[in-house]
Amino acid sequence: MSQSSVPSFDKLLASCRRSAVHLEMRDSYGVSYEAEDLAAWRRTGRWDNPDYWEPWMTLVRDAVSRGVAMRRARIVSEPVTEYIRFEYAGTSNNVAAGEDVRWLPRRRASDLALPGNDFWLFDDRLVEWNHFTGDGELAGHELSDDPAVVKLCGHAFEAVWERAVPHGEFHV
C-alpha cells in the first residue's frame, strides 16, 4: 500500500481487536515533534508533557479497555544513548496507559532474525512499517498484509519479547 493511502495510526489501532505490538530498533530518533520535549528533558530529567502524552495515553487506554493487548519492545545498545535515556524517562507514561514495555540489550539480539525497520503488528494480520531517515526523522509509513511479512514480524517480535527485560527491571 502506498504511503499516501496508509490510514492514521488512530484508525489502525481502532480496528484492532486482540493485539498491537511494536518493535523499535534504533538507538536514536530525531523526530521533530519531540524536539521541545527532548530539550526540556535535558534541563529537568523528566518527560511528562501532558500535551504530548495525553492523546497517546487515551488511545492506549481505549484499546486496552476493548481487550487489545499492547506490547512494545525496544532493542538498545549499551551503554544507552542520550535519546534512549530520554525515551526511558517517558516510558512510565506508556506503562501507566496500559502498554507492556520491555528492553533488550542489542548484544542479546545478535542471533535473532529481525526485519530492517521498526514496525507495528496489528492482530497478527497487518504490519505498519515505520521508515526513518538516517538522522532519525520520520520518513513515512507503509502497510503490508503479506503473510510472509506478517510471519517474519510476529516471530521477530516474540523472539525479542522472550529475551527482553521488563521495564520495571531495566535500568539505564
Side-chain angles (χ1 to χ4, degrees):
M1 183 175 283
S2 76
Q3 207 168 287
S4 61
S5 60
V6 173
S8 70
F9 181 83
D10 299 15
K11 288 183 180 176
L12 291 169
L13 189 58
S15 71
C16 207
R17 298 294 169 244
R18 293 180 319 280
S19 67
V21 301
H22 186 37
L23 183 60
E24 298 176 16
M25 298 180 284
R26 296 178 59 95
D27 284 320
S28 183
Y29 296 84
V31 291
S32 55
Y33 57 82
E34 291 178 350
E36 288 181 29
D37 290 318
L38 179 58
W41 171 81
R42 285 178 176 139
R43 290 188 308 275
T44 68
R46 294 190 349 257
W47 186 15
D48 55 7
N49 175 357
D51 292 335
Y52 181 93
W53 284 109
E54 281 307 318
W56 178 253
M57 293 175 78
T58 298
L59 273 176
V60 172
R61 286 180 183 132
D62 289 350
V64 170
S65 72
R66 291 192 325 271
V68 176
M70 292 192 66
R71 297 182 294 157
R72 177 185 303 256
R74 294 174 171 144
I75 299 174
V76 297
S77 299
E78 291 180 309
V80 299
T81 62
E82 177 188 54
Y83 182 86
I84 294 300
R85 289 193 315 273
F86 163 66
E87 195 172 51
Y88 183 87
T91 300
S92 60
N93 293 292
N94 297 87
V95 172
E99 283 187 70
D100 195 358
V101 179
R102 292 187 183 181
W103 304 80
L104 181 64
R106 190 171 308 282
R107 71 181 181 282
R108 295 186 57 213
S110 296
D111 61 343
L112 298 179
L114 301 170
N117 291 291
D118 291 7
F119 64 86
W120 279 94
L121 175 58
F122 301 99
D123 287 337
D124 294 316
R125 64 172 178 77
L126 182 66
V127 172
E128 180 190 46
W129 297 112
N130 303 142
H131 298 295
F132 294 91
T133 64
D135 61 1
E137 185 63 62
L138 185 62
H141 304 280
E142 183 180 355
L143 293 181
S144 176
D145 61 1
D146 179 304
V149 170
V150 167
K151 183 177 179 180
L152 168 70
C153 291
H155 285 166
F157 183 86
E158 294 303 332
V160 169
W161 190 258
E162 182 178 306
R163 292 184 186 184
V165 178
H167 176 68
E169 299 171 24
F170 187 78
H171 303 285
V172 297

